[in-house]
Amino acid sequence: MNFGRIAAYGGLFVLGAVVGTAGALIQGGWFPGGLLLALLGAAGLFHGGVRAIGTRAGAVAPAAGWLVSVMLLTASRPEGDFLFGAGLGSYAFLLGGMAVAVMCATLGQGTQPVGPAARLGK
């Protein structure tokens, strides 16, 4: 692993945290359009990470950042304040974002076989 790849993973982690925070704020503000926008933004980042890096780890780095930021925002403060309410939109954002991350990480860009276009047995 070289420095450029590590920096790319770090940048994707930070972008995942930013998208998670923005999605947490927008999903409750403009329901149901904000929820759809937040999930599409997360899906675009996760899939873009796969395409940019070329491996499935390109989806895992922003997904980890997204998960860290969302979990920190779900915790209640000592004053009793919290960002996520106990509504359908909040749970759809949490579970939908996790499902999108898993889909992008498992269905990542596969490698194509190198060789002639003919059948391998000939």
Side-chain angles (χ1 to χ4, degrees):
M1 239 202 223
N2 58 9
F3 178 73
R5 188 170 287 263
I6 293 171
Y9 288 139
L12 286 172
F13 182 86
V14 170
L15 279 175
V18 169
V19 168
T21 303
L25 294 172
I26 199 170
Q27 63 87 20
W30 294 332
F31 187 78
L35 173 64
L36 182 62
L37 183 64
L39 289 177
L40 284 174
L45 176 63
F46 301 153
H47 183 68
V50 170
R51 301 290 282 179
I53 301 294
T55 64
R56 292 180 177 142
V60 174
W66 182 90
L67 186 65
V68 166
S69 70
V70 169
M71 287 298 133
L72 288 175
L73 292 173
T74 58
S76 63
R77 297 175 37 133
E79 296 88 15
D81 298 335
F82 55 90
L83 188 61
F84 285 98
L88 178 66
S90 304
Y91 291 120
F93 176 67
L94 291 171
L95 297 175
M98 288 182 211
V100 166
V102 168
M103 283 189 280
C104 289
T106 57
L107 299 175
Q109 180 178 1
T111 58
Q112 296 293 322
V114 178
R119 290 183 10 198
L120 296 176
K122 289 189 167 186

